[in-house]
């Protein structure tokens, strides 16, 4: 930001439990200020997130995120068997054990499944007990597929040999939901652009999340970004915590979070326009010309005196 701080700043300590109109996920709400905060005519307002405390209480697999379905079919099946996976926060061992149990229970050919995790390559291998007689096809093209958990790209995979199928991408138990985005929907700026829309955004902070379920993590950036506001006054601040998709709010499962926002006042630096710079240059040239003319006149006068004396 190209401006000087003038009247200092206001620190706002915000707890989610104190916000008005919270949503059911406890990830948004409104802070109503006791009076309007107004910038002077030559000032702009700046906002930054200086710190935050968040519970890692959301599920890494859920209907809210949209990754809770695994579809498959075996030889003889006329359609996909859609298995609904219970919402939860899983590690890879817990998840593979659950998937194996669901596959075994839903097999129409009494097959049993083996799922092996290779921690060196971070991949899974899935086999069925009789691949020469019964194939198994997994639908990894569905919108709610848990394929990234299993380490697969968006292509259907078929078990038709004793080698089974192996992940063709790395396993990701965060399912790419590994960052939080703190947004201020009711303040406007033209300084932030996000890649999901390529448009100006209301994001004030992007927070990477360590995968440590049911724990509390602290966000304290060394150099927090200052959002320069286009508006001159605010009387409330809307806060929303989402994943990268703005429409996908984080479900904290009623867990409380806290953030500290700093609102500061800044005076715009006044830059000299080219016209003034040009006038200054012309003035200096005129002064130099007059000086040279004076020096030349004095020299001519001295030379004339010398000639007259001779």
């Amino acid at each position: 930001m190209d401006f000087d701080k003038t009247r200092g700043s206001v620190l706002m300590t915000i707890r989610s439990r104190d916000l008005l109109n919270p949503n059911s996920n406890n990830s948004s709400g409104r802070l109503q200020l006791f009076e309007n905060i107004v910038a002077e005519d030559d000032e702009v307002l700046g906002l930054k997130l200086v710190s935050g405390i968040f519970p890692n209480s959301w599920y890494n697999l859920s209907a809210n995120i949209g990754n809770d379905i695994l579809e498959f079919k075996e030889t003889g099946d006329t359609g996909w068997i859609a298995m609904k996976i219970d919402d939860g926060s899983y590690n890879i061992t817990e998840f593979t054990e659950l998937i194996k149990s669901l596959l075994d229970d839903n097999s129409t050919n009494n097959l049993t499944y083996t799922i092996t995790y290779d921690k060196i390559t971070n991949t899974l291998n899935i086999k069925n007990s009789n691949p020469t007689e019964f194939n198994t096809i997994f639908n990894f093209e569905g919108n709610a597929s848990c394929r990234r958990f299993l380490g697969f790209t968006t292509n259907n995979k078929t078990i038709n040999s004793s080698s089974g199928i192996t992940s063709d991408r790395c396993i990701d138990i965060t399912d790419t939901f590994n960052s939080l985005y703190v947004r201020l929907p009711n303040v406007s700026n033209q300084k932030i652009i996000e890649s999901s829309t390529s448009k100006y955004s209301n994001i004030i902070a992007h927070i990477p999340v360590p995968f440590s379920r049911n724990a509390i993590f602290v966000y304290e950036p060394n150099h927090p970004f200052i959002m320069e506001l286009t508006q001159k006054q605010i009387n409330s601040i809307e806060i929303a915590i989402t994943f990268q998709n703005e429409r996908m709010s984080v479900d904290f499962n009623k867990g409380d979070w806290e953030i500290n926002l700093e609102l500061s006042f800044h005076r715009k630096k006044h830059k000299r326009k080219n016209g003034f710079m040009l006038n200054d240059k012309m003035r200096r040239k005129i002064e130099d010309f007059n000086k040279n003319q004076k020096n030349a006149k004095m020299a001519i006068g001295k030379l004339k005196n010398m000639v007259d004396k001779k």
Side-chain angles (χ1 to χ4, degrees):
M1 297 178 70
D2 190 19
F3 47 59
D4 298 315
K5 184 176 285 191
T6 56
R7 289 193 285 150
S9 58
V10 177
L11 182 66
M12 292 175 279
T13 61
I14 302 168
R15 301 187 305 175
S16 58
R17 70 182 68 178
D18 299 329
L19 296 179
L20 302 175
N21 301 326
N23 66 357
S24 60
N25 293 340
N26 200 38
S27 60
S28 69
R30 185 178 78 251
L31 171 66
Q32 187 67 45
L33 303 178
F34 70 98
E35 64 179 5
N36 288 1
I37 296 178
V38 183
E40 295 180 357
D41 291 341
D42 61 345
E43 288 181 331
V44 294
L45 297 174
L47 263 175
K48 65 181 177 181
L49 178 66
V50 294
S51 64
I53 301 176
F54 305 90
N56 196 333
S57 56
W58 63 90
Y59 298 142
N60 60 348
L61 185 142
S62 69
N64 178 60
I65 292 177
N67 59 358
D68 61 334
I69 301 294
L70 179 60
E71 293 184 331
F72 79 107
K73 61 182 175 181
E74 298 173 346
T75 300
D77 293 336
T78 57
W80 297 108
I81 299 172
M83 300 188 301
K84 173 75 168 61
I85 305 167
D86 290 339
D87 291 359
S89 187
Y90 298 91
N91 63 33
I92 190 59
T93 301
E94 295 161 343
F95 187 68
T96 54
E97 290 175 353
L98 176 60
I99 293 300
K100 170 186 165 44
S101 177
L102 290 172
L103 288 171
D104 290 350
D105 291 344
N106 287 276
S107 172
T108 56
N109 294 297
N110 295 318
L111 299 175
T112 57
Y113 288 81
T114 302
I115 304 179
T116 306
Y117 173 58
D118 186 334
K119 64 181 179 181
I120 303 300
T121 60
N122 194 31
T123 58
L124 286 181
N125 177 263
I126 307 175
K127 299 177 181 178
N128 75 30
S129 56
N130 190 1
T132 56
E133 187 173 354
F134 300 105
N135 293 345
T136 304
I137 305 174
F138 289 93
N139 178 17
F140 291 136
E141 297 180 345
N143 292 331
S145 172
C146 61
R147 63 175 181 81
R148 283 185 291 265
F149 258 78
L150 299 170
F152 289 95
T153 57
T154 52
N155 296 295
N156 292 346
K157 299 293 183 180
T158 303
I159 299 175
N160 54 15
S161 70
S162 59
S163 60
I165 57 173
T166 300
S167 303
D168 56 0
R169 58 159 287 168
C170 65
I171 290 169
D172 184 2
I173 59 174
T174 71
D175 204 0
T176 71
F177 296 97
N178 48 22
S179 300
L180 303 183
Y181 291 77
V182 180
R183 300 174 182 270
L184 306 178
N186 73 320
V187 298
S188 57
N189 78 94
Q190 292 185 342
K191 299 293 184 180
I192 305 169
I193 297 174
E194 58 180 304
S195 62
S196 60
T197 62
S198 298
K199 298 178 180 179
Y200 289 117
S201 170
N202 52 26
I203 293 172
I204 194 171
H206 161 242
I207 304 174
V209 176
F211 185 71
S212 179
R213 60 182 176 182
N214 309 321
I216 300 292
F217 64 95
V218 178
Y219 176 69
E220 293 179 311
N222 292 325
H223 303 287
F225 174 79
I226 302 177
M227 176 191 286
E228 179 184 343
L229 306 188
T230 57
Q231 61 213 72
K232 284 288 188 181
Q233 67 174 358
I234 58 174
N235 55 22
S236 66
I237 297 178
E238 300 282 348
I239 303 167
I241 302 178
T242 73
F243 295 111
Q244 186 177 33
N245 185 337
E246 186 174 5
R247 296 184 297 274
M248 190 172 291
S249 62
V250 178
D251 188 349
F252 285 101
N253 290 304
K254 304 190 186 311
D256 290 318
W257 47 268
E258 300 178 13
I259 60 173
N260 292 312
L261 292 175
E262 182 180 332
L263 177 69
S264 49
F265 305 85
H266 301 264
R267 179 166 288 118
K268 284 279 190 179
K269 290 182 179 179
H270 296 290
K271 295 183 179 180
R272 300 181 69 181
K273 296 183 179 179
N274 291 335
F276 293 122
M277 294 176 65
L278 181 61
N279 288 339
D280 288 344
K281 185 180 290 186
M282 292 177 64
R283 177 178 55 78
R284 287 194 296 269
K285 285 188 175 183
I286 292 172
E287 290 175 351
D288 291 341
F289 175 79
N290 291 335
K291 184 177 180 180
N292 291 336
Q293 289 290 96
K294 183 178 180 181
N295 292 336
K297 186 175 183 180
M298 291 175 62
I300 292 172
K302 289 180 180 180
L303 182 60
K304 185 178 180 181
N305 289 337
M306 291 174 63
V307 171
D308 292 342
K309 288 180 179 180
K310 291 182 178 182

